[in-house]
Amino acid sequence: MKMLAVFEKGPRLRLIGHLDLMRAMQRALRRSDLPIRYSQGFNPHILLTFAAPLNLGAVGEREIMEVPVEGTVDPAFFLDRLNAALPPDLKILACRAVEDTHKSPMALLRAARYSAQPEGGADDVAPFIGPFLAQKTVPAVKKTKSGEKEVDIRPMIHELSCRDGRIFATLDLREESTCKMELLLDRLYAFAGLETPHFLVRRLMLLGEDGNAFVPLEDV
Amino acid sequence: MEALLEAKLEKLLEQVQKPARYAGGEMNTSVKPFDEAELTFAFCFPDTYDIGMSHLGIKILYHIINKQPWGLCERVFTPWPDMGDAMRREGIPLFSLESRTPVRDFDLVGFTLQYEMSYTNILEMLDLARIPLYARDRGEKDPLVVAGGPCAYNPEPLANFVDAYMIGDGEDVMVELCAAVREGKRQGKSRLAILEDLAAIRGVYVPAFYDVCYNADGTVKSCTPNRPGVPAKVQRCVVTDLNGAEYPESFPVPYTDIVFDRIVLEIMRGCTRGCRFCQAGMIYRPVRERSLDRLLALADSLEKTTGYEEISLSSLSSGDYPCLAELIRALMDRYQQKRVSISLPSMRIDNIVKQSLEETQKVKKSGLTLAPEAGTQRLRDVINKGVTEEDLIRAVTDAFESGWSTVKLYFMSGLPTETDEDLQGIADLCKKTVAAYFSVPKDRRARGLKVTASVSVFVPKPFTPFQWVGQDTLEVIRGKQERMREYMRLKGVTYNWHESTLSFLEACISRGDRRIGDVIYTAWKDGCRFDGWNEHFRYETWLAAFEKCGLDPAFYAYRVRPLEEVLPWDVIDAGVTKEFLIREYEKALKGTTTKDCRKGCNACGLQRWKGACPAYENARGV
């Protein structure tokens, strides 16, 4: 059996990297004394995968991880035990048990919803959102391991809006097509002719697909 | 911290290297509300988070202060230069990791002194905290700055910056000191009155209460109390019962990588071997052991509360722990299922048990580190190291037969009476180590032999039998290092040597007097910090600082001190007496060894204090 757990990576931990977070979660699992599974091989490690690494600097409100366990574990018990073993800024919000054959969250992931809070509010950029979305293409330069690559990010943007001084967006997040919130904001402010301000990014939710509609990844 | 600064800090953290160092919020850290504590203590480690969090002392004292219902302890580390500069630029004061409270708002600001070359970081931290650097400039609203740790045994180099020192084992005196400050605060006492209360506690040295006079030649003439009620000599603190002593049942678990990221079990404190160069072996006397039951109970709770995958047994000489094999077996039995490995960093060559080697590497294999210290038997007798070449060769052969292939050997150069023959002896031992590997049949040894020989420069330290000797001059050291490079062109051996200028400054400061404080201040003012880090060490700036202060570094490092000279640290009674140290010094020069004091009392001085040395009292049937 595998556990699908929704967890929060709080503001204090936004500058803790992916590997550090992974290790912190593994240690918490050890402390929890839950029947976790280890890999085979010379240096066994705890089996644990995250749906998607979070950009350094961002807060994760509903991140998702998969934890294979031995036998059957009650999800409510798993949630309580693990929460008792976690530091204050990491918290399990929900948990669901699935069969080992259930596709991994990484494979089911399609998109993510974000918010960004620009320093000094979003009033200046708000009027430009409509015209920005009206563009047929939005060329952007993506930095990849093999160098820089020009891509059109317009088809990766599923939603873009502004409310209460915050910018909200739903963006592609899958292997063949990913647009980071930081890249979108960079293009949006350039379009508006404004200097990109400092902002705090929150990943609000990871999304999978049900038919043609996005649904929370943990429900897929 | 106020909201505006906090916002600035958040922004700044995105721009500095390794921001996780400043995040706080780790598992098992204190969550006490700052405003509700009656006594607040900022525990300052004068190096980076990664170094400081690897240190056992901070974990013990953090636990002890926070255990008091009225006490609160939070951690502070030196911001890396990029962060320090940015904090100055943005006007962000040095803050604690737990509650992000400015350090200057704490009642007590405490530094642990582990290494002389971290002293500029202390000034850097005080300055970033906006606390006046010199104790005499601090007012009623400023925190009291206290310090302890092994380097505090010579309190003089930092005497002008520290309000009060704690000398010796910290477990009890820390609580006494904090309680006294809390009481003083409650009664509305003045800073001076509180310091007077502190000076009455055993182990506490208040430098401002002592006047130092110098002779015309620059040596110390006297260090005497300048008010009544202050002891002429400050007796160091001794925790006599290690089983009864506080030890944390949980450790903070860092998010980011630190140097030693594991459970540390202190199995023993002190060492009975009496190596003459070793300050730890002198100042942590007598030897005290933790019981097997206590250690297993601690291991249990630490394993449960941290989730760590490794337990390291710590002491000055773990092989001397009487139930070592039993302890390792019990730990292995308990934790093999949970995939916890056991490591033993401080083993002596002469008592490595082949079986314990095999036990500890069942889970995870790591390198083996041995410290013969000197290349010939003659010189090993001078330093009273008490190990032989046969011991070494037997130990490495055992290790190679048990499947190890990585061996690190530690040596020192510049020891008193050292000759070229001793240097060649180092190369010779390395050669024999390589030969020992090849003497093991191919099918019984692991592949990939790696022998690393590190040769450091000897630094004479206070409260050792070598406290009077002159350090080799830089010229002599460089000549020796050049010859060593020739001798060490050996197949299968990697040779490392140490920066000699750093050891030279370490020698100046470790045996420095009160005037050295101005040199440290000047060096810091001119940009020195993180001196122990190669990329930040600025030798020229240090030399210039000596010059500006009118002091000669050679006076401190090279000079052979006459036995009758008043030493800057004579104001401290470390337990070992000067008579004992002189006796040992004279024996060293004759090449005569002294027996392990488990085999009979050598009258080092600890026997003067009732209850301090259990071995002595057991032998006498007290």
Side-chain angles (χ1 to χ4, degrees):
Chain A
M1 174 186 263
K2 301 193 286 189
M3 290 294 168
L4 274 187
V6 182
F7 70 95
E8 182 193 2
K9 184 189 181 192
R12 190 167 196 161
L13 303 186
R14 66 191 187 90
L15 292 162
I16 302 293
H18 179 64
L19 293 176
D20 287 345
L21 181 67
M22 189 96 153
R23 188 174 45 199
M25 203 53 96
Q26 286 170 336
R27 284 186 178 149
L29 284 164
R30 288 178 63 96
R31 289 191 294 266
S32 73
D33 222 13
L34 286 159
I36 43 179
R37 275 194 253 163
Y38 284 80
S39 67
Q40 305 294 312
F42 192 70
N43 269 323
H45 58 269
I46 294 171
L47 291 175
L48 163 72
T49 45
F50 289 158
L54 186 61
N55 254 18
L56 209 62
V59 172
E61 293 200 348
R62 291 183 75 80
E63 296 293 297
I64 290 185
M65 65 175 179
E66 181 189 76
V67 186
V69 292
E70 303 278 6
T72 312
V73 179
D74 172 32
F77 177 75
F78 183 91
L79 184 142
D80 287 345
R81 276 305 274 269
L82 190 48
N83 268 338
L86 281 168
D89 304 274
L90 282 174
K91 203 174 165 192
I92 308 295
L93 305 173
C95 184
R96 175 186 157 207
V98 295
E99 292 305 314
D100 277 352
T101 50
H102 192 84
K103 272 196 178 172
S104 77
M106 208 186 276
L108 294 168
L109 181 66
R110 294 289 174 270
R113 188 150 197 273
Y114 301 87
S115 79
Q117 190 163 12
E119 201 176 29
D123 290 352
D124 52 352
V125 80
F128 294 95
I129 288 180
F132 179 78
L133 284 176
Q135 298 177 98
K136 283 218 160 57
T137 61
V138 178
V141 177
K142 258 172 93 169
K143 285 185 188 118
T144 63
K145 273 175 206 151
S146 47
E148 295 190 341
K149 198 171 116 190
E150 183 149 325
V151 289
D152 175 18
I153 60 166
R154 181 61 192 88
M156 304 176 190
I157 305 168
H158 302 282
E159 179 236 338
L160 178 62
S161 61
C162 184
R163 188 163 29 88
D164 303 333
R166 289 205 283 169
I167 301 164
F168 292 85
T170 303
L171 303 170
D172 262 2
L173 181 54
R174 49 205 165 95
E175 207 182 338
E176 59 283 14
S177 165
T178 292
C179 178
K180 287 184 174 164
M181 185 62 169
E182 290 79 3
L183 184 65
L184 167 73
L185 293 169
D186 176 72
R187 290 296 82 203
L188 174 63
Y189 277 89
F191 177 79
L194 297 165
E195 198 178 318
T196 314
H198 181 266
F199 41 73
L200 176 68
V201 173
R202 290 170 177 271
R203 186 151 77 184
L204 304 175
M205 185 177 285
L206 295 169
L207 301 165
E209 227 165 13
D210 186 13
N212 275 333
F214 285 137
V215 290
L217 180 62
E218 62 269 28
D219 297 339
V220 179
Chain B
M1 203 184 299
E2 44 189 299
L4 193 70
L5 285 178
E6 184 115 21
K8 272 188 178 177
L9 172 64
E10 281 299 326
K11 227 163 112 179
L12 189 151
L13 284 173
E14 292 176 10
Q15 292 149 21
V16 298
Q17 292 174 47
K18 302 196 181 179
R21 283 172 170 168
Y22 315 105
E26 308 94 314
M27 188 71 195
N28 303 327
T29 51
S30 163
V31 288
K32 285 187 173 187
F34 185 86
D35 297 326
E36 288 168 25
E38 289 175 56
L39 186 282
T40 55
F41 192 105
F43 199 112
C44 298
F45 195 99
D47 210 309
T48 61
Y49 177 89
D50 347 358
I51 304 284
M53 282 303 287
S54 304
H55 181 246
L56 178 61
I58 185 172
K59 292 174 183 156
I60 296 177
L61 294 172
Y62 182 77
H63 159 80
I64 287 178
I65 301 168
N66 280 318
K67 198 175 173 178
Q68 312 305 320
W70 41 265
L72 169 141
C73 180
E74 300 191 355
R75 296 158 303 148
V76 191
F77 301 91
T78 317
W80 193 246
D82 66 339
M83 180 69 172
D85 291 345
M87 286 167 71
R88 273 198 186 91
R89 201 170 54 235
E90 299 291 332
I92 298 169
L94 188 69
F95 57 89
S96 64
L97 290 190
E98 280 79 358
S99 64
R100 285 193 175 171
T101 303
V103 169
R104 65 163 181 269
D105 294 346
F106 282 77
D107 298 318
L108 281 159
V109 172
F111 289 93
T112 173
L113 311 183
Q114 299 292 321
Y115 180 39
E116 291 84 358
M117 297 315 287
S118 67
Y119 286 1
T120 53
N121 280 2
I122 292 172
L123 300 187
E124 172 78 354
M125 288 173 88
L126 288 173
D127 188 63
L128 281 170
R130 297 182 202 153
I131 296 168
L133 302 194
Y134 281 91
R136 58 169 183 263
D137 297 332
R138 289 180 202 131
E140 293 296 331
K141 289 222 155 67
D142 289 311
L144 286 166
V145 176
V146 298
C151 294
Y153 278 80
N154 178 11
E156 293 307 281
L158 293 177
N160 289 333
F161 311 110
V162 173
D163 292 306
Y165 277 100
M166 286 168 265
I167 312 289
D169 298 318
E171 282 97 335
D172 298 331
V173 67
M174 179 58 99
V175 179
E176 271 185 83
L177 180 133
C178 288
V181 173
R182 169 183 175 236
E183 189 53 35
K185 211 176 130 184
R186 210 156 47 181
Q187 293 180 18
K189 284 191 181 177
S190 71
R191 194 178 176 84
L192 183 68
I194 292 177
L195 283 173
E196 279 175 336
D197 290 347
L198 297 185
I201 300 172
R202 174 171 172 169
V204 175
Y205 172 60
V206 178
F209 294 168
Y210 296 79
D211 290 331
V212 181
C213 297
Y214 298 91
N215 296 307
D217 63 3
T219 55
V220 174
K221 187 174 180 197
S222 63
C223 176
T224 39
N226 56 22
R227 67 193 60 220
V230 177
K233 247 178 185 292
V234 174
Q235 279 188 0
R236 155 213 162 191
C237 299
V238 187
V239 167
T240 47
D241 173 20
L242 215 50
N243 284 319
E246 281 289 343
Y247 200 83
E249 276 124 34
S250 75
F251 284 177
V253 184
Y255 285 102
T256 178
D257 245 340
I258 61 168
V259 184
F260 300 125
D261 205 8
R262 59 197 183 196
I263 294 169
V264 179
L265 280 184
E266 187 198 30
I267 59 176
M268 203 164 58
R269 193 174 296 174
C271 176
T272 52
R273 300 294 186 137
C275 298
R276 291 174 181 138
F277 58 86
C278 179
Q279 190 191 39
M282 297 291 157
I283 63 177
Y284 287 108
R285 285 175 179 231
V287 73
R288 290 146 288 168
E289 291 145 15
R290 270 202 176 84
S291 71
L292 197 66
D293 289 345
R294 171 87 167 130
L295 289 170
L296 291 176
L298 286 171
D300 255 2
S301 85
L302 284 164
E303 196 276 331
K304 282 198 183 82
T305 54
T306 62
Y308 271 133
E309 308 82 0
E310 187 181 349
I311 298 175
S312 164
L313 305 182
S314 157
S315 75
L316 291 171
S317 173
S318 298
D320 289 338
Y321 182 70
C323 343
L324 183 68
E326 209 180 331
L327 173 64
I328 292 174
R329 216 169 306 125
L331 290 172
M332 297 292 296
D333 282 350
R334 278 172 198 225
Y335 302 120
Q336 203 159 11
Q337 275 291 308
K338 298 185 108 174
R339 296 168 173 86
V340 177
S341 67
I342 317 294
S343 64
L344 265 174
S346 299
M347 287 296 281
R348 279 177 60 100
I349 295 159
D350 45 351
N351 55 20
I352 288 180
V353 191
K354 198 173 168 187
Q355 194 192 348
S356 62
L357 277 178
E358 282 166 0
E359 289 277 1
T360 54
Q361 66 153 357
K362 260 186 203 155
V363 173
K364 202 174 145 198
K365 199 179 294 180
S366 52
L368 182 68
T369 305
L370 304 169
E373 313 287 5
T376 61
Q377 196 57 50
R378 185 200 66 80
L379 192 52
R380 285 194 294 273
D381 287 346
V382 168
I383 63 176
N384 204 42
K385 182 68 194 183
V387 297
T388 63
E389 186 176 305
E390 295 87 81
D391 293 331
L392 174 72
I393 299 308
R394 202 199 59 232
V396 294
T397 310
D398 279 357
F400 293 142
E401 279 176 353
S402 312
W404 306 66
S405 59
T406 303
V407 176
K408 271 191 213 156
L409 300 176
Y410 283 173
F411 296 96
M412 273 184 289
S413 169
L415 289 164
T417 76
E418 184 181 63
T419 65
D420 200 60
E421 200 179 312
D422 300 306
L423 301 180
Q424 291 178 38
I426 293 176
D428 195 47
L429 277 184
C430 293
K431 256 186 257 176
K432 286 177 174 154
T433 302
V434 173
Y437 173 79
F438 287 106
S439 76
V440 180
K442 218 173 186 171
D443 54 328
R444 281 176 56 206
R445 64 184 192 224
R447 284 169 52 170
L449 171 70
K450 205 179 155 206
V451 177
T452 308
S454 292
V455 184
S456 60
V457 177
F458 172 62
V459 179
K461 298 269 164 156
F463 293 110
T464 66
F466 292 157
Q467 65 180 354
W468 295 278
V469 309
Q471 192 184 33
D472 269 356
T473 64
L474 282 171
E475 217 183 336
V476 168
I477 292 169
R478 282 175 186 143
K480 285 180 177 176
Q481 287 181 337
E482 233 160 82
R483 271 177 286 147
M484 277 306 292
R485 267 197 294 277
E486 288 303 314
Y487 303 149
M488 295 296 281
R489 283 179 207 273
L490 302 172
K491 219 181 145 197
V493 180
T494 311
Y495 165 54
N496 292 331
W497 68 96
H498 289 248
E499 185 51 65
S500 48
T501 48
L502 189 66
S503 308
F504 171 58
L505 286 174
E506 198 184 318
C508 294
I509 298 171
S510 72
R511 290 183 297 166
D513 51 34
R514 226 172 247 209
R515 297 170 304 176
I516 285 285
D518 290 335
V519 178
I520 298 167
Y521 176 83
T522 307
W524 167 77
K525 195 87 191 147
D526 290 342
C528 289
R529 55 188 158 166
F530 285 102
D531 298 292
W533 296 71
N534 246 329
E535 65 266 49
H536 292 294
F537 178 51
R538 296 164 64 174
Y539 180 56
E540 302 302 326
T541 311
W542 272 99
L543 283 190
F546 271 97
E547 179 115 37
K548 281 184 191 172
C549 297
L551 292 171
D552 178 11
F555 172 83
Y556 294 98
Y558 298 157
R559 196 168 56 88
V560 180
R561 289 140 172 87
L563 293 178
E564 58 280 4
E565 181 176 320
V566 176
L567 301 169
W569 52 92
D570 279 349
V571 65
I572 304 297
D573 181 348
V576 292
T577 52
K578 210 175 219 183
E579 294 71 41
F580 169 72
L581 295 176
I582 291 175
R583 222 156 52 223
E584 283 296 298
Y585 182 33
E586 285 169 346
K587 280 170 91 175
L589 296 179
K590 281 187 246 155
T592 313
T593 59
T594 296
K595 66 182 181 299
D596 183 326
C597 70
R598 282 188 208 246
K599 293 180 184 142
C601 183
N602 292 316
C604 68
L606 266 298
Q607 78 283 359
R608 294 172 300 147
W609 295 343
K610 198 172 160 13
C613 186
Y616 169 76
E617 291 182 9
N618 286 344
R620 305 214 358 155
V622 179

